[in-house]
Amino acid sequence: MSAVSDRLPVFPWDKLTPYKATAAAHPDGIVDLSVGTPVDPVPELIQKALVAAADSPGYPTVWGTPELRDAITGWAERRLGAREVTHRHVLPIVGSKELVAWLPTQLGLGPGDRVAFPRLAYPTYEVGARLARAAYEAYDDPTALDPEGLKLLWLNSPSNPTGKVLSKQELARTVAWAREHGVLLVSDECYLELGWEADPVSVLHPDVNGGSYDGIVAVHSLSKRSNLAGYRAAFLAGDPAVLGPLLEIRKHGGMMTSAPTQAAVVAALGDDEHVRVQRERYAARRALLREALLGHGFRIEHSEASLYLWATRGESCWDTVTHLADLGILVAPGDFYGPAGEQFVRVAFTATDERVAAAVRRL
């Protein structure tokens, strides 16, 4: 077992334990703005769909029910502007983190292959490469990468942690480059429905991909848009030539979304109103925290989308974490996402209204 665990870095969130203890000692309690986990209720129509499917004694299928695939294809066309999406273009997954961590292995990558991801990025992109024993590197401009041996190119827009959004033109240029060099492009779009000062676009949009899904896959999650982090509900959409073999591999691995969860996802993707309501909650919290952080001497960069504010006081991120922990506020240090984040912190606005108000008062 150690041969596998030795390939991995220290789990970053463990480093926050002493700072969490400091913040928790505040007389008015901790305000946890670190992980970014949803705290608002699961919408009632989704809960009802889950309960109605609770009597599911048989094994679910890895590909999901026809109703689930219909829901995914319909949503992709309605919300993303995708065209001619069929069941062959979609694949349910057991939460997006599982996919990110195991995709290089499931693609058969290994020593001699390379995986690339943004300079500031979700750390699981690197973990996935390490698990597969593939080489990995961070980029500023993906089209400046050496394509030799590059087998998997991750995009992430809106970005975690920065909230940066790539334009249609940037996405189209990168898709064209990846196709020219035969590199599989996988776009992590889990925050796409949470744009504030920009309107995020999917690689599935015809203005980006030219009407073809060849060589591209998009990753989407219901954790943020529908408060379903506890359900582990996500899916892929894109090139059938990629998703077909992945489906077969995942059948062998038993990577099945539970039947009640599949029913819940059908309900969630069929309803836009609960997403609008949740967006309004997040927009209000974002506005309050942004003003408070600016007033406290922070500078905020990017942050035009996602569930985070990317903030700096021009000092070590750990000094900032310490300062805020003394105020009872826990945030994520920027170096969790790469050395380029060493002077930033990621501030989530996923706490309750009451806890956000407490953070604002302290700031």
Side-chain angles (χ1 to χ4, degrees):
M1 290 301 296
S2 64
V4 177
S5 62
D6 287 349
R7 298 179 208 161
L8 304 179
V10 174
F11 187 62
W13 296 101
D14 291 344
K15 300 177 185 177
L16 271 184
T17 299
Y19 302 91
K20 186 173 185 177
T22 297
H26 190 280
D28 186 37
I30 187 173
V31 179
D32 192 341
L33 307 178
S34 60
V35 176
T37 187
V39 297
D40 298 303
V42 173
E44 187 175 357
L45 85 160
I46 300 174
Q47 292 190 49
K48 286 182 175 178
L50 184 85
V51 170
D55 185 14
S56 297
Y59 289 110
T61 64
V62 172
W63 202 16
T65 62
E67 293 79 13
L68 175 59
R69 283 176 261 142
D70 281 344
I72 295 172
T73 58
W75 178 85
E77 294 191 349
R78 183 180 80 251
R79 180 62 186 83
L80 305 181
R83 296 291 179 265
E84 298 179 3
V85 184
T86 72
H87 286 197
R88 295 174 57 248
H89 292 91
V90 302
L91 178 62
I93 54 178
V94 192
S96 59
K97 184 171 186 175
E98 166 264 306
L99 183 281
V100 172
W102 292 108
L103 182 60
T105 298
Q106 291 174 13
L107 291 171
L109 306 191
D113 298 321
R114 291 166 48 236
V115 176
F117 43 78
R119 181 77 57 195
L120 283 163
Y122 185 45
T124 312
Y125 303 135
E126 178 183 325
V127 166
R130 286 178 178 241
L131 286 169
R133 299 183 182 177
Y136 54 89
E137 62 187 283
Y139 63 77
D140 294 307
D141 176 358
T143 66
L145 289 164
D146 179 359
E148 183 66 29
L150 181 62
K151 298 295 178 66
L152 173 58
L153 172 62
W154 283 105
L155 295 186
N156 180 210
S157 175
S159 163
N160 174 16
T162 69
K164 181 179 179 181
V165 173
L166 298 176
S167 69
K168 263 185 193 177
Q169 293 73 24
E170 290 173 299
L171 291 170
R173 179 171 65 93
T174 305
V175 167
W177 181 89
R179 285 174 171 166
E180 178 185 353
H181 296 288
V183 178
L184 174 62
L185 184 152
V186 180
S187 180
D188 181 346
E189 302 175 352
C190 290
Y191 295 90
L192 187 135
E193 294 201 87
L194 295 164
W196 313 112
E197 297 162 3
D199 187 13
V201 180
S202 172
V203 295
L204 302 179
H205 194 286
D207 289 352
V208 172
N209 61 41
S212 167
Y213 301 115
D214 290 351
I216 59 172
V217 174
V219 185
H220 284 274
S221 168
L222 287 88
S223 293
K224 315 299 185 182
R225 72 183 293 278
S226 299
N227 300 335
L228 295 189
Y231 284 45
R232 310 316 301 137
F235 58 89
L236 304 178
D239 190 347
V242 177
L243 300 188
L246 280 179
L247 172 59
E248 295 306 311
I249 291 165
R250 294 171 68 84
K251 284 180 181 178
H252 283 290
M255 293 179 167
M256 301 172 281
T257 304
S258 76
T261 295
Q262 291 187 32
V265 171
V266 172
L269 291 179
D271 178 73
D272 294 331
E273 177 61 15
H274 78 274
V275 181
R276 184 193 66 78
V277 170
Q278 188 60 45
R279 276 181 53 85
E280 289 184 354
R281 291 188 185 118
Y282 283 141
R285 293 166 186 165
R286 178 183 183 273
L288 289 169
L289 282 169
R290 188 177 188 279
E291 182 178 359
L293 288 166
L294 292 172
H296 198 73
F298 281 89
R299 185 177 81 253
I300 294 173
E301 293 191 1
H302 302 302
S303 306
E304 58 258 33
S306 83
L307 290 178
Y308 314 107
L309 294 167
W310 187 239
T312 181
R313 299 204 309 169
E315 63 185 6
S316 162
C317 59
W318 289 102
D319 288 344
T320 307
V321 168
T322 300
H323 170 71
L324 292 175
D326 288 340
L327 298 177
I329 301 169
L330 188 67
V331 298
D335 66 3
F336 277 12
Y337 308 94
E342 63 185 6
Q343 290 195 342
F344 286 79
V345 292
R346 194 194 73 171
V347 184
F349 39 90
T350 53
T352 64
D353 292 346
E354 184 273 331
R355 287 290 85 189
V356 167
V360 167
R361 287 194 301 272
R362 297 173 196 181
L363 289 166

